[in-house]
Amino acid sequence: MTKDARMGPKDAYELILDAIDTGIYRPGDRLVESELAERFGVSRTPIREALQRLETQSMLTRDGRSLIVASLDHNQMADLYVVRTELEGLAARLAARHATPEEMRVLRDMVEEDRGLIGKPEEMSRANRRFHKQIHLASHNRYLVQQLDLVHRSMALLATTSLAAEGRGEEAIKEHDMIVSAIEAGDGEAAHKALSNHISKAFVTRLKVDAAKDR
């Protein structure tokens, strides 16, 4: 059986979603069935079904007859950060209660390893996603993990990373350190506060970056 014969809509969907998440396709980019089929080595049928699904989820929007990667306006971005702050804070609180010693070790190692990425915003952005995903998993609440997956999927519709702002990478590592310390201490409230504060600071940084671009 060929790779194409095994490929279903879900597989094509995840391939396109990952390409958006990693910045291969950015907000405003046009997605063409034939080009996607060639890139991923699959037929156009699963690509078409995946695009329809992404459009339904508002990850893609129509520009005439074309489908383009959606972008978030100011109000949508603000709404997204409100939801993200609450859900991420809850994940940290639950992680402080339920994380295993091994999960705490992974989080601590991530913080130490990510120090070497300061000054490399794209690499740090990928590492940041892995760090937050690990906290989600450490919450041991699958429903919360599912909701946070949706939130982080929408975060991919923001064209730039706040970690590109001067000094933000170093600050973010310090904030990650505080989050992990609270989780290691089993202090749910401190973990919730530290992670909520981390997201709030990232949002402020993003607003400042966007304001500077509009000058």
Side-chain angles (χ1 to χ4, degrees):
M1 185 180 290
T2 66
K3 177 184 178 183
D4 184 53
R6 294 194 305 268
M7 179 68 70
K10 180 179 180 181
D11 303 290
Y13 165 84
E14 301 215 352
L15 284 169
I16 299 170
L17 193 60
D18 185 62
I20 294 172
D21 189 46
T22 56
I24 294 173
Y25 297 114
R26 296 181 176 275
D29 286 351
R30 190 164 66 102
L31 299 188
V32 180
E33 278 183 27
S34 57
E35 293 175 2
L36 291 166
E38 183 176 355
R39 171 185 283 274
F40 298 126
V42 301
S43 69
R44 293 176 65 167
T45 298
I47 293 292
R48 185 179 305 118
E49 293 175 4
L51 291 175
Q52 290 171 348
R53 182 178 173 189
L54 287 164
E55 183 183 7
T56 300
Q57 294 175 338
S58 299
M59 292 294 291
L60 304 178
T61 187
R62 290 208 170 266
D63 180 18
R65 297 182 64 183
S66 300
L67 278 173
I68 63 173
V69 180
S71 57
L72 301 179
D73 62 26
H74 177 83
N75 289 335
Q76 289 171 320
M77 180 175 66
D79 289 345
L80 180 60
Y81 267 95
V82 167
V83 173
R84 185 184 176 195
T85 299
E86 292 299 321
L87 293 182
E88 292 263 14
L90 175 58
R93 178 186 285 125
L94 292 177
R97 296 178 189 168
H98 304 303
T100 65
E102 293 79 8
E103 287 171 327
M104 292 182 198
R105 181 73 258 169
V106 169
L107 285 168
R108 176 55 63 192
D109 288 347
M110 283 180 167
V111 172
E112 299 310 317
E113 291 167 7
D114 293 350
R115 293 185 196 280
L117 301 179
I118 293 174
K120 303 174 183 177
E122 294 302 324
E123 291 182 44
M124 181 165 272
S125 179
R126 289 191 289 271
N128 184 64
R129 287 196 293 272
R130 290 193 294 270
F131 175 79
H132 283 270
K133 179 67 174 182
Q134 186 60 37
I135 291 176
H136 305 167
L137 294 173
S139 74
H140 291 266
N141 186 307
R142 63 178 179 176
Y143 299 106
L144 180 58
V145 172
Q146 289 170 356
Q147 293 307 308
L148 279 163
D149 281 348
L150 292 174
V151 169
H152 277 257
R153 184 182 303 165
S154 297
M155 290 295 295
L157 300 179
L158 297 171
T160 58
T161 171
S162 62
L163 292 167
E166 184 177 355
R168 179 58 196 153
E170 189 170 355
E171 289 179 357
I173 293 296
K174 291 178 181 176
E175 291 159 17
H176 283 185
D177 182 76
M178 290 180 64
I179 294 164
V180 175
S181 293
I183 291 173
E184 289 171 333
D187 190 336
E189 288 309 309
H192 181 282
K193 183 178 179 180
L195 209 157
S196 297
N197 182 61
H198 171 59
I199 302 299
S200 177
K201 288 187 175 181
F203 185 31
V204 169
T205 300
R206 187 176 291 280
L207 290 174
K208 288 180 178 178
V209 170
D210 288 350
K213 288 190 298 186
D214 293 338
R215 287 176 184 170

